[in-house]
């Protein structure tokens, strides 16, 4: 009797375990089907002649709920995050901060201290990056023309053009890719390697920017640039040689010309020649058209901006705010510029050929990315202002006409 009772108990226990395992597998199978459901529907709707997918009431309810939640978020939440993203990255909070310090000094100080305490925490950086990525536009694109020309075994200097107001199209791409600058990520899309931005060390503490770039941002000096080649196995430096001076020339109101303020910028080329590293130019088409920026005294403002490391720009976008006028930019990775045929002391020759390399691919692809009417012009410190304000200042004797030759293009080259 006891033996029969024990056998029955064991059978009951085995049956219960079997039922539990089946239940777990059934639940996980249902969860997997719910995750795959949007893909199956998209595939079915895009395939001609494909039979309709039969959905259970539970699946239909789940799909409708997800669609409703997404629609609600896109309608009421995403526009505010879009505004927050562009306002934050262009430092609009600097206009509010003084007022807040006067009106609510204690609360504002407490908020600043709280941000200082948490802003370098990974959980905070990822959370804010994810929120900003949800708000960023999906119309910014990045494509590569150099996938086969870039070697996985070589190290490069990645050169971003133009500066625009503040690397505008580039920021939106990084915002949508939360792993682009994480320690475990594989870099920005289409680049397929980690990138460290050599802009300015202070970016590590600037709101919105530091949440996206995290630990991979540094200075634009030689030591900071070569550090990544010499101390990391998989991280290349990137910089914007035009700097804040180039930001002065970004203007949606002047679409017949596209300016790069790199005619006199040869330091980045010297570093690459000495370190024997090729350069990979990346050009964001239409980035200069995202904001209006008054075109008066561009040369003077650019020279001052270069000295004080602050862009003297009075930009404004849609409705006079920091929201861009357009956001359908395309960042195109041009083929590498090889420096192996130059000696380390041939800085001028290599720099002149690099300018023509950039112009060659800009002209070749500008019509494909909406800038067919634009002429690429290289400018530098000798740019001469000829706007109505500059003419008036010269008549009053407050501005002298520059004796240097007016910049209209790259220097002569053997290329």
């Amino acid at each position: 009797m006891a033996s029969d009772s024990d056998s029955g108990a064991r059978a009951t226990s085995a049956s219960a375990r079997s039922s539990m395992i089946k239940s777990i597998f059934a639940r996980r199978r249902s969860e997997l089907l719910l995750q795959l459901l949007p893909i199956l529907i998209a595939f079915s709707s895009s395939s001609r002649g494909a039979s309709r997918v039969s959905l259970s009431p539970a699946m239909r309810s789940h799909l409708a709920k997800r669609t409703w939640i997404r629609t609600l978020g896109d309608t009421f939440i995403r526009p505010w995050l879009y505004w927050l993203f562009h306002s934050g990255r262009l430092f609009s909070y600097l206009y509010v901060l003084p007022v807040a310090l006067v009106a609510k000094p204690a609360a504002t100080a407490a908020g600043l201290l709280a941000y200082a305490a948490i802003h370098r925490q990974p959980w905070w950086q990822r959370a804010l990056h994810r929120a900003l990525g949800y708000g960023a536009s999906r119309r910014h694109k990045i494509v590569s023309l150099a996938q086969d020309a870039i070697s996985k075994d070589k190290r490069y200097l990645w050169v971003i053009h133009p500066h625009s107001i503040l690397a505008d199209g580039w920021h939106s791409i990084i915002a949508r890719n939360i792993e682009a600058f994480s320690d475990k990520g594989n870099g920005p899309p289409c680049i397929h390697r980690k990138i460290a931005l050599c802009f300015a060390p202070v970016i590590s503490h600037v709101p919105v920017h530091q949440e996206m770039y995290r630990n991979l941002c540094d200075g634009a000096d030689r030591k900071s640039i070569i550090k990544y080649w010499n101390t990391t196995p998989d991280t290349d430096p990137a910089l914007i040689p035009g700097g804040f001076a180039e930001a002065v020339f970004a203007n949606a109101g002047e679409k017949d010309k596209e300016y790069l303020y790199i005619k006199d910028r040869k330091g980045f080329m010297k570093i690459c020649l000495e370190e024997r590293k090729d350069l990979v130019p990346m050009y964001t088409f239409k980035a200069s058209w995202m904001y209006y920026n008054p075109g008066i005294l561009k040369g003077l403002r650019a020279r001052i901006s270069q000295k004080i490391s602050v862009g003297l720009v009075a930009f404004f976008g849609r409705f006079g705010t920091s929201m861009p006028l357009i956001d359908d930019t395309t960042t195109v990775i041009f083929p590498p510029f090889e420096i192996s045929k130059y000696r380390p002391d041939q800085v001028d020759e290599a720099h002149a050929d690099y300018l023509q390399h950039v112009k060659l691919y800009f002209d070749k692809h500008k019509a494909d990315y909406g800038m067919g009417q634009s002429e690429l012009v290289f400018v530098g410190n000798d740019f001469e202002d000829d706007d109505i304000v500059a003419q008036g200042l010269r008549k009053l004797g407050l501005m002298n006409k520059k004796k240097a030759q007016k910049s209209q293009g790259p220097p002569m080259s053997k290329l």
Side-chain angles (χ1 to χ4, degrees):
M1 292 291 291
S3 176
D4 293 342
S5 176
D6 292 341
S7 298
R10 284 195 297 271
T12 301
S13 176
S15 176
R17 285 196 300 270
S18 177
S19 299
M20 182 177 66
I21 292 172
K22 289 180 180 179
S23 174
I24 292 173
F25 275 105
R27 185 168 64 251
R28 292 189 175 178
R29 185 169 61 249
S30 298
E31 292 174 354
L32 180 61
L33 286 173
L34 288 173
Q35 292 175 2
L36 292 176
L37 186 57
I39 300 174
L40 292 173
I41 293 174
F43 176 78
S44 175
S45 61
S46 62
S47 302
R48 294 183 178 180
S51 59
R52 291 188 176 183
V53 178
S54 178
L55 303 178
S56 68
M59 288 183 176
R60 290 182 184 276
S61 175
H62 176 79
L63 182 61
K65 183 178 179 181
R66 288 185 60 184
T67 303
W68 179 78
I69 293 175
R70 185 182 296 111
T71 302
L72 192 65
D74 288 348
T75 303
F76 295 103
I77 299 176
R78 192 163 171 240
W80 288 102
L81 290 175
Y82 180 86
W83 169 81
L84 180 65
F85 168 62
H86 287 291
S87 297
R89 71 178 189 83
L90 292 172
F91 314 118
S92 296
Y93 50 81
L94 295 178
Y95 298 104
V96 179
L97 192 58
V99 178
L101 285 170
V102 172
K104 299 279 187 178
T108 304
L112 291 173
L113 289 173
Y115 180 77
I118 67 172
H119 78 290
R120 298 298 295 167
Q121 297 298 319
W123 63 267
W124 165 261
Q125 292 175 325
R126 291 183 66 86
L128 187 58
H129 193 163
R130 191 180 300 277
L132 296 173
Y134 177 61
S137 172
R138 272 66 174 159
R139 287 182 284 272
H140 297 278
K141 308 295 182 186
I142 181 169
V143 298
S144 178
L145 305 176
Q147 207 159 10
D148 297 331
I150 296 176
S151 172
K152 294 181 180 179
D153 301 326
K154 292 183 67 174
R155 308 296 294 275
Y156 299 91
L157 175 65
W158 299 74
V159 190
I160 301 173
H161 303 292
H163 188 282
S164 57
I165 296 299
L166 198 61
D168 302 308
W170 171 263
H171 277 170
S172 294
I173 292 169
I174 301 306
R176 295 203 322 271
N177 292 271
I178 192 172
E179 302 297 339
F181 283 83
S182 70
D183 294 334
K184 298 180 180 179
N186 193 33
C190 293
I191 293 179
H192 307 301
R193 66 180 68 198
K194 292 181 181 178
I195 294 292
L197 297 184
C198 294
F199 291 177
V202 72
I203 291 179
S204 301
H205 303 283
V206 175
V208 175
H209 295 266
Q210 71 91 17
E211 278 84 3
M212 292 194 297
Y213 301 129
R214 303 173 201 177
N215 297 322
L216 291 176
C217 51
D218 216 316
D221 58 286
R222 175 188 170 83
K223 182 179 179 180
S224 299
I225 291 172
I226 67 173
K227 174 181 71 176
Y228 293 97
W229 290 326
N230 296 335
T231 63
T232 67
D234 58 356
T235 304
D236 282 348
L239 54 74
I240 307 180
F244 287 116
E246 194 168 271
V248 173
F249 288 82
N251 184 9
E254 188 176 4
K255 296 183 178 179
D256 59 331
K257 290 183 180 180
E258 175 84 342
Y259 295 97
L260 292 186
Y261 200 90
I262 58 174
K263 182 184 174 185
D264 308 315
R265 302 288 176 90
K266 301 179 182 180
F268 70 102
M269 182 60 65
K270 183 179 180 181
I271 292 172
C272 288
L273 286 170
E274 292 174 349
E275 299 295 324
R276 312 311 293 167
K277 297 292 189 293
D278 293 346
L279 303 90
V280 181
M282 297 187 291
Y283 206 101
T284 302
F285 288 88
K286 299 173 71 173
S288 299
W289 299 357
M290 291 177 66
Y291 296 95
Y292 287 116
N293 180 25
I296 59 173
L297 301 177
K298 290 184 293 191
L300 177 62
R301 288 190 290 134
R303 289 185 286 274
I304 297 174
S305 297
Q306 187 173 348
K307 290 181 179 179
I308 66 176
S309 298
V310 175
L312 296 181
V313 294
F315 68 91
F316 58 94
R318 199 183 310 170
F319 312 120
T321 70
S322 58
M323 291 191 294
L325 303 166
I326 61 169
D327 55 12
D328 57 341
T329 67
T330 305
T331 299
V332 182
I333 302 173
F334 291 168
F337 177 77
E338 299 181 7
I339 53 86
S340 57
K341 58 184 177 182
Y342 304 97
R343 299 190 310 271
D345 62 336
Q346 290 183 300
V347 178
D348 292 339
E349 293 89 338
H351 180 262
D353 288 350
Y354 175 78
L355 298 189
Q356 291 201 7
H357 179 83
V358 172
K359 184 171 176 58
L360 171 67
Y361 287 99
F362 175 88
D363 290 341
K364 187 176 181 179
H365 298 285
K366 63 182 181 180
D368 299 332
Y369 301 108
M371 295 188 70
Q373 77 274 38
S374 299
E375 175 193 2
L376 184 61
V377 180
F378 298 96
V379 295
N381 291 333
D382 60 354
F383 182 86
E384 183 178 326
D385 291 310
D386 58 359
D387 56 85
I388 188 171
V389 176
Q391 293 172 13
L393 290 175
R394 287 195 187 98
K395 289 180 180 180
L396 294 173
L398 300 177
M399 176 183 284
N400 296 324
K401 190 171 184 178
K402 296 186 69 64
K403 296 181 180 180
Q405 183 180 357
K406 188 175 179 179
S407 171
Q408 290 296 339
M412 293 302 294
S413 164
K414 299 177 182 179
L415 185 64

